[in-house]
Amino acid sequence: MYNKLQYISQGKTIEEQLYNIHQALDAGCDWIQMRFKNQTAKDTFALAEAVKFLCEEYLANFIVNDNLYLAQQIAADGVHLGLTDMNIAEARAILGNTKIIGGTANTFEDIENHFKNGCDYIGLGPFQFTKTKEKLSPILGLSGYFEIFEKMRQNNLKIPVYAIGGITLEDINQLMETGIHGIAVSGMITKSDQKEKLIQQLNEKLYANVIV
């Protein structure tokens, strides 16, 4: 089953990105989603190659945000597609069945569509306001998550869902009660000056009720 903690990378330059990713891996994060927006193809490729090497070294999952052809080119573990990116079914046809495809969702209907089209996991959000992302979809809050999971249960729709968007350590216990599989975080890990301790605390909360 998929790890419960995803780190979405931050940094405006290759160096910043690599530093932040390396720090997250070093601190025990084993799922990296590389998010490097509005950059040249050359820089994005260079970063992806370096991140792939790092993730292999740390035995971590490596997912590329948005850029399906890049994910294919460097044989990443998969791709995460936003609501305005390529259709999931089309992506599946290109990548095949062995790669992970994640999709962003803001509503139950988004999840339903992604599920029908062969998506492997959902990034559902935003939970609350976040500065990391421009053009935010409507904020869901706890009540939004409870509502969507209720509809998923009614429709017998089972797929791992990650909460995303402005999550803090204090939010996790309540979020886990909604039915989420895990969380995807960016700023929380990037800005922490005690990353190892933070990741340990996050994992303790995320895996608290898991029967191994």
Side-chain angles (χ1 to χ4, degrees), residues 42 47 89 172:
K42 187 182 166 199
L47 175 62
I172 294 171

Side-chain angles (χ1 to χ4, degrees), residues 1-6 30-31 61 63 77-79 92 97-103 118-122 158-162 180-183 203 206-207 210:
M1 198 45 177
Y2 299 135
N3 314 357
K4 289 177 173 283
L5 179 64
Q6 284 191 27
D30 47 16
W31 182 304
N61 275 328
I63 303 286
D77 294 308
V79 69
R92 178 62 73 205
N97 291 327
T98 58
K99 298 296 181 185
I100 300 166
I101 299 179
C119 197
D120 292 305
Y121 75 86
I122 302 290
K158 292 180 178 131
I159 186 169
V161 174
Y162 289 80
I180 60 161
H181 173 72
I183 60 170
N203 279 326
L206 291 167
Y207 288 94
V210 174

Side-chain angles (χ1 to χ4, degrees), residues 4 11 24 38 55-56 58 63 71 74 87 98 121 123 125 169 186 198 210:
K4 289 177 173 283
N38 312 318
C55 286
E56 279 173 356
Y58 282 86
I63 303 286
I74 61 154
N87 175 292
T98 58
Y121 75 86
L169 194 59
S186 189
L198 172 66
V210 174

Side-chain angles (χ1 to χ4, degrees), residues 52-140:
K52 184 178 185 228
F53 180 76
L54 267 180
C55 286
E56 279 173 356
E57 202 181 317
Y58 282 86
L59 303 176
N61 275 328
F62 172 39
I63 303 286
V64 175
N65 182 280
D66 291 358
N67 197 330
L68 177 117
Y69 294 106
L70 176 63
Q72 187 184 33
Q73 203 178 355
I74 61 154
D77 294 308
V79 69
H80 184 95
L81 298 168
L83 285 167
T84 56
D85 296 326
M86 181 188 281
N87 175 292
I88 302 280
E90 203 180 323
R92 178 62 73 205
I94 294 163
L95 281 186
N97 291 327
T98 58
K99 298 296 181 185
I100 300 166
I101 299 179
T104 298
N106 180 245
T107 63
F108 168 71
E109 288 69 31
D110 293 338
I111 297 176
E112 206 175 23
N113 283 336
H114 287 339
F115 181 75
K116 281 179 191 160
N117 288 327
C119 197
D120 292 305
Y121 75 86
I122 302 290
L124 177 65
F127 170 59
Q128 52 196 8
F129 179 75
T130 172
K131 288 182 183 158
T132 308
K133 197 164 185 193
E134 292 167 29
K135 299 181 190 148
L136 272 188
S137 296
I139 287 164
L140 295 170

